DNA sequence: CTTGACCCTAACCTTACGTCATAGTTTATC
DNA sequence: GATAAACTATGACGTAAGGTTAGGGTCAAG
């Protein structure tokens, strides 16, 4: 009956010697005997057990639970597996969302080469803070700041506004079309991020960073209350106005 | 200008006070001032920064990198995002495999109510060890043990063998059909696990646990070399024989 | 003046090992 | 038999992102 040294076991199984020491220490896999010098020796039984350990580890079970499985033969495996599957599916879903969000973000960053400060793009994704933040901003700054925002908006030239509006409508069209989606999908989150991004971009030209609060608090009200901005470049834009209003309302409902 | 205490910030953002302490400690989010008593006070700028932090955290970036993003405005975001996406996709793929494997395992466990010891089901999933293990077993036990295996197999009654064979063919049919899949998919891994499981189940009736080596080493050779077992219940079963042989060859090629 | 709610720092705990540091053992070679 | 190479052991410290007490200070209300 051959017995294996730590290094042999390590090489056979692809794990490290340290890992074997560790498994010994926590009682997950003990060598079947020690030499007088203290050297560990493993036998077939231990190799089999290690295979099982590696299998469970592959399924991402924490070592403590693996110990439990192996010690307790009456452990109900199916339930454990199903629990674990549920957890994995949740993780998968979350990763799906992350990937989708990242893709959106990348696309938008590539489109908008204007943007230089990446860290300015992502507010608005945390709803809770948004709520409080807007309320605080409104309390702190009041109506006259909104008027200021309005006057700054006026300064934008015809071309500038046209550009802005084009991107603006694109966002809001999609936002509008998807207004009934519930719950808020990552795609919509991304749209809203983009919405914020536009605002930031616009206000970046006149605002120093600590005035952003005003911009946030002001523009929401501004856009939804005053139809003038929808007509700014000379012609009436009923569709734009509608979208703008509905999308903003949607936006405000969900995020502010 | 309102300022927020740790608890307020924590409640607004949904993170813990300890987390804020920690972020302060590592320089990720410092309060804009401290009272004489040492109390932390956060302002709007800090809330904004926290929003960004939470966004990146949501995307699973480690805090160290987030610090880097926020300190270094010229950081190349798109590359970072794409790297991150790649990592996420890899994780997703891995989780897919895990879920698939778990599902298979669950299905098989539910089918086979005979099984009582869940920890006996999963050998054969680690190829490396399989290789070495079989070689060791063959060296250790030699041909006469295989003969012993054979004689034990004879003892199985007609009914027992019929049952065994039914499940056996089911496995091997599928294994055969999928014999050209490459690389070895988790589904096939599961089939092989099931194959091993059958062997274990069978040998469990006559073997003590440390004779499993013989069973493994022996049965592979046995089944592929001797066609008698395919005819055992009285009638010729050419299809069964073919599958058995091919599947075993496949199995041996890949795993032994 | 006391109670309760809040705040602080300091320090240890967690997972699953990696990475030395130091020292003893075995094996191969000269 | 000596020595060097390869292997082994234990012990301690480090990681990420905080959780969890412990002990003590601060602040507003009653």
């Amino acid at each position: 009956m051959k017995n294996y040294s730590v290094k042999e076991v390590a090489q056979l199984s692809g794990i490290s010697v340290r890992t074997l020491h560790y498994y010994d220490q926590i009682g997950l896999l003990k060598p079947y005997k020690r030499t007088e010098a203290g050297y560990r020796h493993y036998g077939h039984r231990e190799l089999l057990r290690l295979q099982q350990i590696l299998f469970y580890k592959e399924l991402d079970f924490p070592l403590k639970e693996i110990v439990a499985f192996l010690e307790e033969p009456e452990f109900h495996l199916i339930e454990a597996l199903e629990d674990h599957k549920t957890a994995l599916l949740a993780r998968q879903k979350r990763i799906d969302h992350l990937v989708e969000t990242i893709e959106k973000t990348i696309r938008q960053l590539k489109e908008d080469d204007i943007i230089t400060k990446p860290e300015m793009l992502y507010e608005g994704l945390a709803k809770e803070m948004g709520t409080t933040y807007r309320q605080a901003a409104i309390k702190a700054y009041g109506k006259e700041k909104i008027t200021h925002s309005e006057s700054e908006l006026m300064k934008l030239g015809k071309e500038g506004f046209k550009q802005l509006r084009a991107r603006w409508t694109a966002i809001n069209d999609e936002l509008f079309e998807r207004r009934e989606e519930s719950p808020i999908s990552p795609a919509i989150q991304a749209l809203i991020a983009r919405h914020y991004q536009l605002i930031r971009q616009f206000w970046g030209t006149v605002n120093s960073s600590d005035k952003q609060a005003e911009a946030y608090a002001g523009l929401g009200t501004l856009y939804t209350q005053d139809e003038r901005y929808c007509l700014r470049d000379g012609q009436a834009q009923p569709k734009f106005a509608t979208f703008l209003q509905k999308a903003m309302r949607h936006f405000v409902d969900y995020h502010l």
Side-chain angles (χ1 to χ4, degrees), chain A:
Chain A
M1 162 113 98
K2 179 154 173 28
N3 48 27
Y4 303 86
S5 70
V6 270
K7 205 189 184 197
E8 285 170 323
V9 175
Q11 283 172 346
L12 291 180
S13 60
I15 65 179
S16 73
V17 171
R18 173 64 172 108
T19 300
L20 286 171
H21 286 175
Y22 182 63
Y23 288 175
D24 186 2
Q25 184 188 323
I26 65 172
L28 180 55
L29 182 69
K30 296 253 178 221
Y32 84 97
K33 77 161 191 181
R34 298 275 203 128
T35 68
E36 329 88 54
Y39 284 26
R40 289 168 180 84
H41 283 301
Y42 299 87
H44 292 300
R45 244 194 307 285
E46 286 71 31
L47 289 187
L48 281 176
R49 187 178 166 101
L50 181 52
Q51 273 189 305
Q52 296 165 216
I53 291 168
L54 293 179
F55 176 79
Y56 288 120
K57 210 163 78 94
E58 191 58 29
L59 298 185
D60 269 356
F61 282 96
L63 298 188
K64 265 192 180 173
E65 286 181 42
I66 299 180
V67 176
F69 297 171
L70 299 187
E71 295 316 317
E72 167 101 52
E74 294 308 317
F75 181 83
H76 201 258
L77 180 64
I78 291 189
E79 273 176 26
L81 285 173
E82 270 167 353
D83 285 355
H84 198 62
K85 186 183 150 193
T86 306
L88 285 176
L89 288 179
R91 245 159 77 180
Q92 212 175 17
K93 212 166 186 174
R94 182 163 172 272
I95 293 180
D96 279 346
H97 286 193
L98 294 185
V99 170
E100 206 175 322
T101 304
I102 287 184
E103 279 173 352
K104 274 269 180 189
T105 307
I106 290 175
R107 270 211 303 283
Q108 290 163 10
L109 285 175
K110 282 183 176 166
E111 268 172 35
D112 295 321
D113 43 7
I114 312 155
I115 315 296
T116 56
K117 296 226 167 192
E119 73 271 30
M120 292 177 70
L121 308 179
Y122 298 105
E123 298 89 352
L125 289 173
K127 288 179 295 220
E128 302 266 20
M129 286 195 65
T131 313
T132 315
Y133 183 59
R134 179 175 180 256
Q135 287 163 357
I138 283 182
K139 268 192 205 133
Y141 297 110
K143 195 74 184 177
E144 79 278 8
K145 293 292 183 182
I146 291 173
T147 316
H148 171 70
S149 295
E150 188 174 11
S151 74
E152 290 297 334
L153 197 57
M154 300 294 189
K155 285 188 197 159
L156 202 64
K158 197 166 173 174
E159 271 311 313
F161 197 91
K162 225 168 184 170
Q163 249 192 16
L164 183 67
R165 202 207 50 198
R167 287 197 282 144
W168 180 252
T169 45
I171 294 169
N172 284 295
D173 280 5
E174 193 177 347
L175 211 47
F176 179 73
E177 277 164 22
R178 311 180 74 169
R179 73 191 177 287
E180 311 203 297
E181 280 181 24
S182 171
I184 295 272
S185 72
I188 289 191
Q189 297 273 333
L191 277 175
I192 284 159
R194 187 148 158 65
H195 168 97
Y196 261 162
Q197 167 190 342
L198 261 184
I199 297 176
R200 288 300 286 276
Q201 204 181 319
F202 174 66
W203 285 96
T205 62
V206 292
N207 274 344
S208 70
S209 69
D210 64 357
K211 288 193 190 164
Q212 288 155 1
E214 314 164 15
Y216 285 124
L219 275 176
T221 323
L222 199 61
Y223 279 126
T224 50
Q225 285 177 354
D226 196 332
E227 226 169 305
R228 277 179 297 167
Y229 300 104
C230 314
L231 309 166
R232 193 102 213 89
D233 65 341
Q235 298 126 7
Q237 299 280 344
K239 189 187 168 212
F240 177 47
T242 308
F243 276 137
L244 212 58
Q245 286 178 12
K246 297 223 178 181
M248 272 315 295
R249 207 162 295 134
H250 164 85
F251 171 70
V252 167
D253 284 343
Y254 273 109
H255 281 265
L256 298 183

